[in-house]
Amino acid sequence: MAEPLLKIENLHAYYGESHALQGVSLEVNEGETVTLLGRNGAGKTTTLRSIIGILDDRRGSIRFRGQELVGLPSHKIGRAGIGYVPEERGIFASLTVDENLLLPPRVADGGMSVAEIFELFPNLEERRSSPGTKLSGGEQQMLAMARVLRTGARLLLLDEPTEGLAPVIVQRIGEVIAMLRGKGFTIILVEQNFRFAAKLADRHYVMEDGHVVDTFPNSALEEKSEALHKFLGV
Amino acid sequence: MFGVPAQALYGQILLGLINGSFYALLSLGLAVIFGMLNVINFAHGALYMLGAFAAWFALNLFGIDYWWSLLLAPLVVGLVGAVIERVFLARIKNLDHLYGLLLTFGLALIIEGGFRHVYGSSGQAYGTPEELRGAVNLGFMIMPKYRGWVVIASLIVCFATWFIIEKTRLGAYLRAATENPKLVQAFGINVPLMITLTYAGGVALAGFAGVLAAPIYQVSPLMGTNLIIVVFAVVVVGGMGSIMGSIVTGYMLGVLEGLTKVFYPQASSIVIFVIMAVVLLARPAGLFGRGD
């Protein structure tokens, strides 16, 4: 079998003295949508931040399309074709919606055009010249996703895209993720809301205390649900 | 007006505008650098002096005239800035920002001390370019051509800088990286390079101001020392990191200082600091600061 699109082996990451990831290994195949489940502080966000290189104090191996990412500066990782949607959304207050949208450079062919993006997120088009942070939380989330869809990145790291949003917007974001999955994007989704994740994912990784403690296909979700409740504390 | 001859009034306003031109150019550079690097660049005055000396060297060693110096000296100073950023500032970026202040302060002492060692404290004369000698009669006052040119050149450069930062794609990168450099870098933009270029660009503005100043003030090793203290006050009044704020405040305080010379000369050298104190009490983030 071909090498997976992303292969993480024995990844350790540190925030100063704190040893946040303690030997994470996981694989994501091309076109797959996987979730990272786990409680707050389990290391899900840290895993995404380590992949994209925002957290650069990391050891082990992260291979993307065969290229080692550990040791690369973050801008080269972005250029390699990974799109990052941070948990805090990262919309720039001093930039308009348009400027936010156009900020990330194109890293590969095949990104969506601005017209296609506005078709997908009509709200954003009406607010093109507003400052980015004047948008509602849901609109900011959509902008954060729209921003990376333009770039041509084929691996998307989505960090809690539904956090703090109204149910109708959560549903809309779910539809968009399902559409992206249909288009063959590879997605790593960090999600607290695992009922939301269950509708979208092919596979789940469960994290605890900086380790991956379990992995199973979405079809096994039923039988795992009891164990999951224990891990997620829901 | 108020028993003050109109000529004297206009003369001081013009003088204020000229001082304001230098305040604006220098505080603009400081604001750009502070926004991106979080460093209060104490070497700014020394690099302004370096710009003036670069023009002086160019003329006396190579026969390069004023107009070429206006282009080349900022490039030279920018290059020096790029080296300073890469060799020194980049290495301390993860430390407390006070170290950046200390480092640039030390650099200023070394650069200015070195020049004083060679050239003494007295100034070197730098002639006004031929095209700008003499004066024009504006009807209400006689204006020396060169002084008018300083105001115009400074306005053009300030506006161009503002335009680049606020209205272009490059400026959008800059503003975004000022807010969240790590995320901008994660999108694939070489932020460390941008930081180097920002510092170089900021000090190039100081170099440009230095060349503009050369024919007016003498080219002397300490020409930046006195000016920079006022410029820091301007930056504080305008609000750290605000581009338009530092430009407007620069001109405004220059003119205000000029007016004070007319109406109450005794206060003219402290008026900016009094305003700084009042602004700090009423609006600690500065007149144009966002206050976060």
Side-chain angles (χ1 to χ4, degrees):
Chain A
M1 193 181 143
E3 187 174 0
L5 184 73
L6 184 82
K7 186 177 172 100
I8 300 179
E9 283 175 299
N10 197 25
L11 179 67
H12 292 257
Y14 306 82
Y15 286 110
E17 296 291 299
S18 144
H19 191 173
L21 297 185
Q22 309 182 1
V24 169
S25 297
L26 59 86
E27 294 178 1
V28 184
N29 296 309
E30 181 122 38
E32 228 183 354
T33 297
V34 306
T35 64
L36 305 183
L37 302 172
R39 291 181 210 203
N40 279 333
K44 306 172 309 251
T45 293
T46 306
T47 303
L48 297 192
R49 291 168 64 96
S50 301
I51 296 171
I52 198 69
I54 283 183
L55 181 58
D56 60 0
D57 193 359
R58 61 213 203 285
R59 251 166 273 159
S61 167
I62 304 171
R63 293 229 305 231
F64 175 62
R65 295 189 201 282
Q67 184 188 12
E68 180 59 56
L69 302 184
V70 172
L72 277 191
S74 164
H75 60 272
K76 295 207 173 142
I77 298 174
R79 291 270 174 187
I82 302 179
Y84 176 53
V85 180
E87 185 177 9
E88 69 285 356
R89 290 161 198 147
I91 300 304
F92 298 99
S94 58
L95 274 62
T96 63
V97 168
D98 250 350
E99 285 176 325
N100 266 287
L101 185 61
L102 299 177
L103 183 81
R106 284 184 189 275
V107 296
D109 293 334
M112 290 170 76
S113 70
V114 172
E116 285 173 309
I117 283 171
F118 284 146
E119 209 170 299
L120 198 59
F121 303 109
N123 294 24
L124 296 181
E125 184 162 21
E126 293 160 25
R127 316 221 34 193
R128 292 180 79 153
S129 50
S130 312
T133 44
K134 291 275 188 268
L135 300 183
S136 71
E139 288 168 330
Q140 287 192 31
Q141 185 60 52
M142 290 175 189
L143 179 55
M145 291 176 64
R147 198 161 57 174
V148 297
L149 296 180
R150 236 193 87 254
T151 64
R154 297 293 291 172
L155 171 61
L156 306 181
L157 311 178
L158 308 181
D159 199 347
E160 303 217 19
T162 64
E163 194 185 15
L165 300 180
V168 55
I169 296 168
V170 170
Q171 193 189 345
R172 176 78 193 115
I173 286 171
E175 288 163 13
V176 171
I177 295 174
M179 184 277 292
L180 295 174
R181 188 178 162 213
K183 285 190 169 188
F185 280 87
T186 308
I187 298 171
I188 304 180
L189 177 67
V190 165
E191 202 35 84
Q192 297 273 8
N193 178 350
F194 104 96
R195 237 167 279 133
F196 175 82
K199 283 185 235 151
L200 297 166
D202 299 302
R203 224 147 42 81
H204 304 278
Y205 282 97
V206 183
M207 294 189 71
E208 190 168 69
D209 294 334
H211 302 85
V212 169
V213 292
D214 198 4
T215 175
F216 54 89
N218 198 42
S219 55
L221 201 61
E222 279 298 307
E223 57 199 83
K224 290 279 183 179
S225 69
E226 202 164 312
L228 267 179
H229 279 291
K230 193 184 86 175
F231 273 120
L232 303 179
V234 284
Chain B
M1 201 191 334
F2 306 118
V4 175
Q7 279 288 345
L9 183 67
Y10 294 139
Q12 287 301 337
I13 290 178
L14 176 65
L15 212 63
L17 273 177
I18 289 165
N19 284 337
S21 300
F22 292 112
Y23 298 161
L25 277 173
L26 290 170
S27 65
L28 177 61
L30 283 176
V32 172
I33 290 170
F34 180 78
M36 189 79 165
L37 285 85
N38 266 312
V39 165
I40 299 170
N41 184 32
F42 263 81
H44 218 64
L47 291 159
Y48 157 81
M49 178 272 289
L50 206 61
F53 262 98
W56 187 79
F57 286 133
L59 184 67
N60 290 294
L61 298 182
F62 307 107
I64 296 172
D65 72 4
Y66 172 84
W67 301 103
W68 278 105
S69 284
L70 214 47
L71 182 72
L72 293 176
L75 285 177
V76 170
V77 174
L79 200 66
V80 171
V83 171
I84 291 175
E85 202 284 327
R86 271 289 144 107
V87 175
F88 299 109
L89 291 171
R91 287 167 204 273
I92 59 165
K93 68 175 179 196
N94 294 326
L95 300 178
D96 192 302
H97 301 313
L98 279 178
Y99 286 93
L101 186 152
L102 272 178
L103 180 100
T104 53
F105 186 58
L107 282 172
L109 291 179
I110 291 169
I111 296 171
E112 286 172 343
F115 272 79
R116 196 169 48 174
H117 182 70
V118 178
Y119 296 96
S121 308
S122 65
Q124 319 287 331
Y126 186 96
T128 305
E130 227 166 276
E131 298 86 338
L132 295 174
R133 285 181 198 157
V136 282
N137 191 343
L138 296 177
F140 56 94
M141 70 176 293
I142 309 285
M143 185 177 66
K145 279 191 203 162
Y146 189 80
R147 311 223 150 187
W149 157 249
V150 167
V151 176
I152 293 167
S154 150
L155 275 173
I156 292 172
V157 169
C158 284
F159 180 77
T161 308
W162 171 83
F163 184 86
I164 289 170
I165 292 173
E166 297 294 341
K167 299 289 165 200
T168 67
R169 175 69 72 89
L170 180 71
Y173 288 157
L174 212 87
R175 277 175 284 140
T178 298
E179 276 185 52
N180 189 344
K182 288 193 163 176
L183 183 59
V184 172
Q185 189 172 1
F187 286 146
I189 295 165
N190 190 341
V191 172
L193 179 66
M194 266 178 71
I195 290 178
T196 305
L197 293 178
T198 303
Y199 189 79
V203 303
L205 286 171
F208 180 81
V211 183
L212 277 185
I216 300 187
Y217 311 113
Q218 290 190 315
V219 179
S220 92
L222 297 179
M223 63 192 286
T225 320
N226 304 322
L227 186 58
I228 204 65
I229 296 172
V230 179
V231 171
F232 277 121
V234 171
V235 172
V236 170
V237 171
M240 273 299 198
S242 159
I243 301 304
M244 195 42 110
S246 50
I247 298 174
V248 172
T249 313
Y251 286 103
M252 201 172 70
L253 290 184
V255 171
L256 216 64
E257 197 183 28
L259 289 175
T260 315
K261 274 191 192 129
V262 179
F263 294 107
Y264 192 58
Q266 296 89 326
S268 64
S269 57
I270 60 159
V271 62
I272 287 182
F273 300 100
V274 172
I275 291 170
M276 179 181 84
V278 172
V279 167
L280 279 179
L281 285 172
R283 272 186 72 104
L287 293 179
F288 298 85
R290 291 197 189 92
D292 44 347

